[in-house]
Amino acid sequence: MNFETYFKASSYAMIAVAMMALMLAGGLHLGLGVSFAVVMAVAWKWEGTRWQLSERVGLVIVLLAIPLFLLDLQYQHMIGEPRERIGVSALAHLIVFLSAVKLMQTKSDRDWVFLYLISFFELLLAAGLSFSPVFLATLALYLPCAISTVIALEIRKARRGVSLVETRLLVPPGQRVFWKLVGVRTRKNVAVKQLPLVACALIGLIVICAVPLFLIAPRAGSAAITRGGSGLSNFVGFSETVALGALGELKRNNEIVMHVRLDDAETRLKHDLKWRGIALDEFTGGSWKKSAAARHTEQKPGERGFFQLGTTEALHRVTTQTVFLEPMDSSVLFAAPRALAVQGDLPYLRVDGEGSMQIRPHDFDRIIYKAFSDVTEPVPETLRQDVVPYPASYDRYKQLPESLDARVAEYARRLVIDDHARNRYDAAKAIESHLQQDFGYSLQMKATGPDPLADFLFRVKAGHCEYFSTAMTVMLRTQGVAARVVNGFLPGEYNGAADAFTVRQSDAHSWVEVYFPETNAWVTFDPTPAAGKLEPSSTGLTAQVGKYAEAFELLWFQYVVGYDRQEQRTLATSLHSQVSQYQRLFGNAISGLQSFLRRDYRRPLLGGSAVLVLGMAVVIGLSIKAHGWGGLGKARRERDSERSAVEFYARLMRLLEERGWKRPPDQTPLEFAGEISLREAAIITEAYNRVRFGKQKLSSREVAEIETMLLKFDQERVQ
């Protein structure tokens, strides 16, 4: 391949990759992409022939593109394109048209530069449309093509500016590289082979220089133009009024709603998880809706993105979830039941009268947030003994429509009597078990007529989750038990590669919450048969590849697109911990070596460099001999718990000193914690004592909880 062919091939590759990025991002239809590929093939064939367009003809055609652009805008309106995509689609079409014209005409250096600028703009437009791992792949292809092309263009320009005679004054005759660049034939095309290597080396240098900036500068969590996609539309079941049966329409769709990652894997096994969305308290006979009291919302104060909603009696009961929520036309936030706090880049957080969380609209952007929930509930023995009367404010949870079929109350009363239920809990369990065992699950909405609930109970005896939750709630209300319907999602399919649940619209679910006043607890009941709660499972090679791709996309979104100050803080803490660990290991090695030499050899210590080398060799050698390579990792893991507790306690002491509390030397940590009477200080000190002196280990969940308390404590200090 001679230099001119290489230059042309590199230029065409750069233009083609940019166009492919735009097409994969959704900016171009497949047909337009294929048509442009055909134009590129024809332009390559006609390059340097009389069939190329002249500059004058090309200019005329480009000027004609302006009215075509306006016509395209009108056409997008006529065919009903989404409003936010109309201008983007028309702009993408204009870019394709201009690129095609420039490719077909005779090109000077100025025209090549114009094509390069268009390709770069296409890449920016693709990033705005979909900042995803697919874009990362196309960017990785584009960068070497672009750098190689720019270098080749500069060489091409310099080649025309230096004559063959002048080159003899610059380069000795034996140097074949430059002779090839200026057009002299040689046996090997050394320069052409070196250009791709130079381009890759420059990319590596750019990446190395960009890493510090990447770690320092947080990004917005969405794409610039469409902010992550067009969003999940027609997202029924999560508004203030939901018609009976509407959730079944959502369950027929398999689009992804969110991914949820749990910090503690044991929670997934111990609890029947659900992602709570919205609770509804008023039943009209054909739909559920929020009453006036439920619609009242309270805006929670936030401190640097941390919104506290409640408290818990013990930190070990807290379940931490990281939620990656897709764009959707709903402002509802999802979390495990009884959310205590939410942390994320949110301008505000509102909570309605039923404990449902609402945020800003996010039709076109993904959202990352952490939710902290106490998923534990009172034990059945405690709930059976609850005979406390309901407060008057809870009468709305016993509301019934005037048109309710009288058979429903009699049906519920008979079930309670037959099961010998003498309290609210047993009555709820009796109705729940009966619906689970004697009714069938089906997505076909067979219940019809003016009273679909009665039709479901007394005729079809089959339906999906909405009918079961509605039936149980209404039947309990006829017996004077306060209950409400909750719409949310089942856990979804667990993806081991991503260590997260993939929750789809088909996982939409409805269940029941019953109120017990003595413990002030809303307890979950789920009357839907097991067939309606089966978790999906994908097998086969395609499914496994899809799971790994999904895992990569989650990492990309979390650490590239949605990398925020919280992630920065977590990364900085991790790096600081690793550095402290190595410093401590090195210090212990030097101290041990010094003691060994003083005690056994009674000779002067070696020089600093010799001690360093010898000490590290002795420590590493003895460790490998005693434990093997695996033993080193095991020893490191055993030290993690102690290291975490010690560092957390040291951070606590620094924060307390900044507030004016300093522990006297004659006081123990526990005495000092009891004296200042701070809950956070007592919890962290107790953990410190268990690890430092009791040789116990902190779980990952406890470490995360202590980290959260320290962050909040630090934020309160700043405020």
Side-chain angles (χ1 to χ4, degrees), residues 344-363:
D345 186 16
L346 308 172
Y348 62 84
L349 179 69
R350 295 193 180 103
V351 180
D352 67 13
E354 305 301 324
S356 303
M357 300 179 293
Q358 299 175 8
I359 56 173
R360 61 175 176 82
H362 59 107
D363 297 26

Side-chain angles (χ1 to χ4, degrees), residues 570-582:
T570 301
L571 180 60
T573 301
S574 177
L575 291 175
H576 180 268
S577 299
Q578 291 295 326
V579 171
S580 299
Q581 177 186 348
Y582 290 127

Side-chain angles (χ1 to χ4, degrees), residues 23 50 74 124 130 132 196 219 264 279 304 330 340-341 350 360 384 416 466 471 536 549 581 609 613 632 636 686:
M23 185 177 67
R50 61 186 181 87
Q74 295 297 324
L124 291 179
S130 179
S132 67
R219 263 77 64 201
D264 185 3
R304 296 187 178 183
S330 173
L340 303 175
R350 295 193 180 103
R360 61 175 176 82
R384 287 190 174 97
V416 171
E466 265 184 292
Q581 177 186 348
S609 300
V613 175
L632 292 179
R636 180 179 60 82
E686 189 271 339

Side-chain angles (χ1 to χ4, degrees), residues 633-659:
K634 181 179 179 181
R636 180 179 60 82
R637 289 191 297 270
E638 291 176 350
R639 289 192 300 269
D640 281 347
S641 180
E642 179 178 353
R643 174 179 54 79
S644 300
V646 172
E647 290 179 356
F648 283 139
Y649 187 74
R651 288 172 58 190
L652 175 66
M653 291 298 98
R654 288 197 300 270
L655 292 173
L656 290 176
E657 287 182 8
E658 292 172 1
R659 288 192 172 193

